[in-house]
Amino acid sequence: MLLSRRLLWLAGCLLVILVGCAPRPPATDKEALQDYLETNDPLEPTNRKLYAVNEGFQDVVLRPLAVGYRHAVPEKVRDSVHNALANLTSPVMLGNEILQAKPRKAGNRLMRFIINSTLGVGGLFDVATSLGYPEETTDFGLTLATWGVGEGPFLFLPVIGPSDFRDGIGLGINAAMDPFTWLGQGSTVVYLELARYGMTAVDLYERNMDSLDSLKKSALDPYATLRSVYRQHRRSQVEDAKQDDPPTIPIWFPQPPQKTTQ
Amino acid sequence: MLCSRRLTFALAALWPWVAFEITAARAAQDSAASFVDNVAKELAAVIDSNDPPEVKHQRFLAIIENSVDVDGIARFCLGRFWRQASPQQQREYLALFRQLLLNAIIGRLQEYKGVKHTIGRTIHQTDNTLVQTVIVRPGQEPAHVDWVVADVDGKPKIEDLLVEGTSLRITQRSDYSSFLLHNNSNVQALIDKLRQMLANQQQQQAQKSG
């Protein structure tokens, strides 16, 4: 009790030190003001500090782990680890597809989970993709977006990286929705959970390390570039989530022509 | 009755114009798609050829110079700061941007050995045409790349690439704009920084080849 109160106090102090706001340009400077509104990053000074902390964490912890992982483990095995971790997120994604009112996608997800958990040996092999159920990802941030919630100001979260108010809330709810976090208590469960989160972080970083390196090498302001890339990518995901609603028609019924991008 | 007759008359009178607009829009879409198809094929042919690196470099350069609106992209990336720059600064910036962009594109193209592409839908927008493609590299997941094609001085030119929904020129503009905001909106500071970047690249290149 005492410990948690102290922790709260410490967190409060940290927040006071960290929170700073970017000055809003005067209304007379219309173009600068428009830039400021488009960027929508009023917490920029705080976010930049968290970005610096995150960079340190990546350099000291994640990078050595990811580099070691890449050297020690063959690509095929790494793919299997990725598949197994992705398979564990299926229940949350299924929940989100139901909340987004996408019955066909939810059905596909269920099929993927069943096929990969059985034929794919506990998710190690992605058999479902070759059977016509390709991997797609979704989360509660996208669910909120399909309900009409705007992205809100930009946020840079330690360890997690670029985000925004909507996606930050989405992350919390996504974690709470995960049935694996409802499993009983006890040290074994805690260790398994920690191992899963740790492995997910290393897997994610290893897969994106090269792109991140090349972004940092070519950008004058890597923070601003990352912010722009995150925002654009997220908006395109939201657009896809809103538009992509495959029809639910029984297999024996005449099918409508498929929308193809080819 | 009179009203509907007038409407019919108006429609009949307007029809040639409407038909012309529709045909023109379709022709623009078709030509944009075949333009992108040609550029992608030409690039793939050079990537997969057995020419020595210097010859490949020259061939890439010729294709890019002919098909990419480098100056347009450069102006877009500087955004509102373009007007603040003096003519001398504008010239310097354009030259540096051109060199950096060409280096970035040509450096990247080498990674695309065995690349295949399929042309998807074409979307006509107000100022340009979007040609959707799927790019497949051996051993990599397919990537959705949209090519933004606009008419520049009567010739189709590539203005932007959207890789999985992320625009390369918007990303570059965000980078420059943030750099300028943190450097008192001083365009010369950006030019100096770009010059330094180019010098570093050339030094690395010299070390590699030497």
Side-chain angles (χ1 to χ4, degrees), chain A residues 230-241:
Chain A
Y230 176 77
R231 276 260 154 93
Q232 291 184 63
H233 182 62
R234 215 44 195 164
R235 281 175 198 160
S236 110
Q237 278 186 319
V238 167
E239 218 35 58
D240 285 349

Side-chain angles (χ1 to χ4, degrees), chain A residues 31-42:
Chain A
E31 284 177 321
L33 185 64
Q34 200 190 345
D35 258 7
Y36 175 86
L37 294 175
E38 267 174 24
T39 312
N40 195 8
D41 189 5

